[in-house]
Structures are given as structure tokens and as C-alpha cells.
Amino acid sequence: MVSCKNDAVQLTEIKGKQIPVDTTFTGNDSIEKYIAPFRSRINEVLDSTLAYAPQPLLLNDEKRNTSMGNLMADIVFEETAPVFNSRTGKELDFVVLNAGGVRSIISQGNVSARNAYEVMPFENYIVVVELSGSAARKLIDFVAKSSRPHPVSRLQILTDKNRSLESVNIKGQPFDESRNYYVATSDYLVNGGPSVGFFDEIVSTTEIDYLLRNAIIDHLKKVDTLKSEVDDRIKQLD
């Protein structure tokens, strides 16, 4: 509804009505016929087997890290590191993702591109952020104290029973707070998302121009068998 005053149009009210899409709507035969070959081709591509999972990869098989989260983080590291190095001449240090960003398990059996869309249904890109040593410590401390198993790769965290840091290793080397670290993650976290505690202080950001989902698909094409398990990358002492 609009009102006119002094030749100006002012919006005073907006009304809307929800129209349910249900079985009362029937398909249009001509449209269905037109899109049928496109749908068939898309389904053929999505359902073609790319790899095999000898056991299910889960999101709840451990409290501190999971087989599915570990796979996701390792894929991001392996697919991102060479791209980052070719663009910057620098080495990627580790990966941190958010637990909520991994949306599905991978069941035992054949693994397809459709599975990659189920795991990562969002249009999230991989980015690499440069963090100072103190900012990296804050990030690692956040991950260590979190009640959720945020996926990490090339990062080993040991905590006491209260989840306070006991030791941190990055690619097998002790954490060094005097240097900067390059961390691969999701642009969703860097640009906002639920990023409190993730990336508060960023020195620089490098765009990788690589969808997380595409990284998964490219990895699936390279391997015959998917292997991932719960390990000691995040471990809590009793």
C-alpha cells in the first residue's frame, strides 16, 4: 500500500501471502519434456562413482575429532597447499573449519559427487588467512576449549582434563608464538558466520578461488579408497 503526499510515493504497508507448493500443483508436460534430458545428465554426473569408502565416515564417532571432520580438513589441506604455494611462494601451516560446516556423513560403499554436495551444500570458498602467533594461539585455544569437534588438519592439540592447552604441534613442530601462521579455512567464517573466537585478528587474506565442495570432488577423483579415522590430533588427558 502506498500513499501520495507532495507528489512523493511513500511505502506505508507491505502485505504478503504464503502460497504452499504441494500435490495440488501438477507439472507442465511441455516443460517436463524440455528439462528431462538436462535432469538425466545432471543425475548421471552426480551419481557416477568417484571413490569407495570401506567404512562409514561419521560426525559423532568421537567427542574431540571425528572421521568425517578429519577427512574434510585433510582434503582442504591437501588440495589447498599447492595452490597457495604457487600463488604466494609460502607454505600452508594448518586448517581449521567449523563443525557445523560439515553437513553429512559418508556411508560405506561407493562415493559420488552427490555425496560431496550432501557434505558441503553451501557455496563456501577456501581462503588462507595469515595470523600472528598470538592470534593463532587464541584460535587454537578456542578450538581446544570448544564443546564441538571443529575439524583441523596438520594441527595437534593436547589439553588437560579442563581443556587448557598442554602442548601444540603444527606439522610436527612445536608451536612458535613469535612467527605468523597461514591457516586455510572457509570464507564463511572469515566474512562473518559464527566466527566469534575463530578469526578476530587477520594480518592478510589470500583468495584461493576454490569451492570447498570442488576440493572434495577433486580429491575423490584422485583416490580409489577413502581412508579417515579418529586420531590424536585433538586429545584430552583424563
Side-chain angles (χ1 to χ4, degrees):
M1 182 182 297
V2 296
S3 64
C4 296
K5 184 178 181 181
N6 297 329
D7 297 324
V9 178
Q10 295 180 323
L11 181 65
T12 60
E13 185 180 4
I14 298 176
K15 291 184 178 180
K17 180 181 179 182
Q18 185 176 16
I19 302 175
V21 179
D22 52 30
T23 54
T24 61
F25 289 85
T26 58
N28 183 293
D29 289 342
S30 62
I31 294 177
E32 287 291 328
K33 183 177 180 180
Y34 178 78
I35 67 174
F38 299 99
R39 179 190 291 121
S40 176
R41 176 54 181 163
I42 289 172
N43 287 333
E44 179 184 347
V45 171
L46 288 178
D47 293 329
S48 60
T49 298
L50 301 179
Y52 179 78
Q55 59 189 25
L57 303 174
L58 307 175
L59 289 168
N60 61 355
D61 39 0
E62 228 285 344
K63 292 182 178 180
R64 302 316 314 270
N65 66 93
T66 68
S67 54
M68 186 63 234
N70 290 350
L71 176 67
M72 184 75 165
D74 289 344
I75 287 175
V76 170
F77 188 94
E78 292 168 17
E79 299 299 328
T80 302
V83 178
F84 179 65
N85 179 259
S86 68
R87 293 189 177 186
T88 66
K90 302 181 184 300
E91 298 296 324
L92 183 64
D93 291 302
F94 62 97
V95 173
V96 174
L97 304 172
N98 64 313
V102 187
R103 306 299 290 188
S104 178
I105 68 169
I106 291 180
S107 300
Q108 179 181 6
N110 293 335
V111 184
S112 66
R114 189 181 297 278
N115 295 124
Y117 276 82
E118 293 168 348
V119 170
M120 175 48 61
F122 312 115
E123 300 297 298
N124 293 140
Y125 282 85
I126 299 168
V127 296
V128 176
V129 295
E130 179 185 1
L131 301 179
S132 67
S134 61
R137 177 177 285 279
K138 290 178 184 178
L139 169 63
I140 293 166
D141 189 56
F142 175 84
V143 172
K145 285 183 166 57
S146 177
S147 60
R148 306 188 71 189
H150 298 301
V152 302
S153 182
R154 285 11 178 225
L155 176 64
Q156 186 177 33
I157 301 172
L158 179 65
T159 73
D160 64 19
K161 62 181 181 180
N162 298 315
R163 298 193 176 183
S164 295
L165 294 175
E166 286 282 333
S167 67
V168 177
N169 286 317
I170 297 173
K171 293 201 294 190
Q173 299 297 317
F175 174 72
D176 181 1
E177 196 165 338
S178 68
R179 56 157 289 190
N180 288 7
Y181 285 93
Y182 295 97
V183 186
T185 188
S186 161
D187 65 341
Y188 175 65
L189 293 177
V190 173
N191 296 330
S195 61
V196 176
F198 275 89
F199 302 103
D200 293 331
E201 306 168 39
I202 297 175
V203 177
S204 67
T205 301
T206 302
E207 303 289 343
I208 303 300
D209 304 314
Y210 203 176
L211 281 170
L212 275 159
R213 183 192 309 115
N214 288 352
I216 299 171
I217 292 173
D218 288 346
H219 181 80
L220 293 176
K221 291 177 178 178
K222 293 175 183 177
V223 301
D224 175 75
T225 304
L226 283 182
K227 297 179 181 179
S228 183
E229 60 185 5
V230 172
D231 55 25
D232 62 354
R233 65 186 69 189
I234 302 179
K235 186 175 181 180
Q236 181 176 327
L237 297 175
D238 296 330

